[in-house]
Amino acid sequence: SGDSMLNLRIFDIETKKQIILYKLVIHLNNIIIQGIDWNKFDNILVCANISLFLFSFVINNNNEKDKYSLILLTELKMKNYIYNPIFESHNEYIITPSEDGNIYFYSTTNDKLGKIIDINSSPSKEIKAHKKRVNNIIFNNSKTLLATASDDMTIGLYDIIKSKETPMSKITHSINKYLVGQESPIKQILFLIDDTLLSGGKNGTICIWDIHKLQLKYKLNENVSSINCISSFNKFPFLFITAGNDCSIRVWNLNYKM
């Protein structure tokens, strides 16, 4: 988790104890954390903040129980504000949505074992995704489809074709279609299963999309504020959670709605 003072906090779920508190020191204002992603294979954590910085850390426990530390790996200054960075499926690049409506691909440098040791400071590729700010990006479960959510009230769907042998500059993508129907800027998106996508709007509306038919199936209007987060249960794919500006967390049963 992150807070407005740019403290990174990592918790052990079983013990419910905070195991890391890391204070980022930046000599700038507006240092709120916008997004965090964790590469479990390499134990690399990336986060973005609204002062144009992208940070990456190595989570280290030195093989000692309950003794963890964060080691700063990279500190990159971006040209545009970025939000919610994510790791690509092969961990060979990081994708960042941006204020200018584009999404950027930053390639990583890996050692002989394939572990990330650095992140390149210049983007290797960019996709002109939307007319307004891109707030969120997410892969489907099979890592073949990339979805983008924007302030222009649309969702972009991209087929991403890449293998471990494909150089970053040769990565190919094709736009399938934009999903249109949400009536406010889209803040969050989530694949429940590969053919179902959820989107949460600034007006609190949740939309449920059929990806194969590229159609809006349902709208849920029970929320009263902006959707700030959507998450799912691994064991129960038809349950999902939303959090909003009204300081509430809601659990939804999609099977019941369907």
Side-chain angles (χ1 to χ4, degrees):
S1 69
D3 59 33
S4 60
M5 299 305 295
L6 211 67
N7 293 309
L8 285 175
R9 304 174 189 272
I10 299 179
F11 297 85
D12 185 308
I13 296 299
E14 291 184 356
T15 64
K16 300 181 177 64
K17 291 182 179 179
Q18 177 178 285
I19 57 176
I20 293 179
L21 171 60
Y22 189 96
K23 174 69 176 179
L24 280 175
V25 179
I26 306 176
H27 302 291
L28 291 170
N29 295 322
N30 299 323
I31 55 176
I32 299 172
I33 292 176
Q34 290 293 111
I36 297 174
D37 195 21
W38 177 32
N39 176 333
K40 298 177 182 179
F41 175 74
D42 293 336
N43 238 5
I44 303 290
L45 181 146
V46 292
C47 68
N49 77 327
I50 61 174
S51 292
L52 299 174
F53 280 95
L54 175 70
F55 299 94
S56 67
F57 302 88
V58 178
I59 303 175
N60 186 20
N61 70 351
N62 298 317
N63 295 321
E64 296 182 42
K65 187 178 180 180
D66 299 329
K67 291 186 177 180
Y68 296 85
S69 61
L70 279 183
I71 302 172
L72 183 64
L73 181 64
T74 58
E75 179 180 325
L76 305 180
K77 182 70 176 293
M78 304 286 107
K79 293 181 179 179
N80 297 285
Y81 293 120
I82 59 175
Y83 309 88
N84 301 307
I86 63 170
F87 285 98
E88 164 269 347
S89 57
H90 296 307
N91 299 325
E92 293 186 353
Y93 55 94
I94 293 170
I95 311 172
T96 63
S98 178
E99 185 183 45
D100 61 5
N102 297 341
I103 53 177
Y104 294 91
F105 294 71
Y106 291 86
S107 59
T108 62
T109 301
N110 298 5
D111 63 15
K112 293 181 179 180
L113 298 177
K115 289 186 176 293
I116 296 172
I117 57 176
D118 198 8
I119 300 172
N120 296 333
S121 59
S122 298
S124 302
K125 188 177 186 65
E126 67 178 84
I127 297 176
K128 297 185 182 299
H130 292 273
K131 295 178 181 179
K132 294 184 179 182
R133 184 175 88 179
V134 183
N135 294 310
N136 199 256
I137 51 178
I138 191 169
F139 277 104
N140 64 349
N141 294 332
S142 59
K143 308 295 183 183
T144 57
L145 189 67
L146 180 69
T148 60
S150 173
D151 275 357
D152 65 10
M153 298 186 286
T154 66
I155 298 170
L157 297 174
Y158 295 84
D159 285 315
I160 300 293
I161 303 170
K162 185 183 184 299
S163 66
K164 289 186 177 181
E165 292 74 30
T166 306
M168 168 60 62
S169 59
K170 299 294 185 180
I171 185 174
T172 59
H173 66 277
S174 60
I175 181 72
N176 283 348
K177 192 174 180 181
Y178 286 104
L179 300 178
V180 180
Q182 193 115 11
E183 297 173 348
S184 71
I186 301 171
K187 311 302 289 185
Q188 294 290 328
I189 48 178
L190 174 73
F191 281 101
L192 274 188
I193 48 181
D194 276 0
D195 63 350
T196 302
L197 179 73
L198 307 179
S199 62
K202 191 175 181 180
N203 64 355
T205 300
I206 302 167
C207 290
I208 303 171
W209 306 86
D210 185 316
I211 296 303
H212 291 322
K213 296 180 180 180
L214 298 174
Q215 292 178 349
L216 175 62
K217 296 173 67 174
Y218 300 107
K219 280 187 180 181
L220 306 176
N221 299 303
E222 286 86 345
N223 281 280
V224 295
S225 68
S226 175
I227 303 297
N228 295 327
C229 182
I230 303 179
S231 189
S232 62
F233 292 91
N234 291 334
K235 294 182 179 179
F236 307 102
F238 288 96
L239 294 180
F240 64 95
I241 313 165
T242 60
N245 282 349
D246 60 348
C247 302
S248 65
I249 296 173
R250 293 176 172 86
V251 181
W252 304 80
N253 188 332
L254 190 58
N255 267 341
Y256 179 77
K257 181 64 181 177
M258 296 172 68

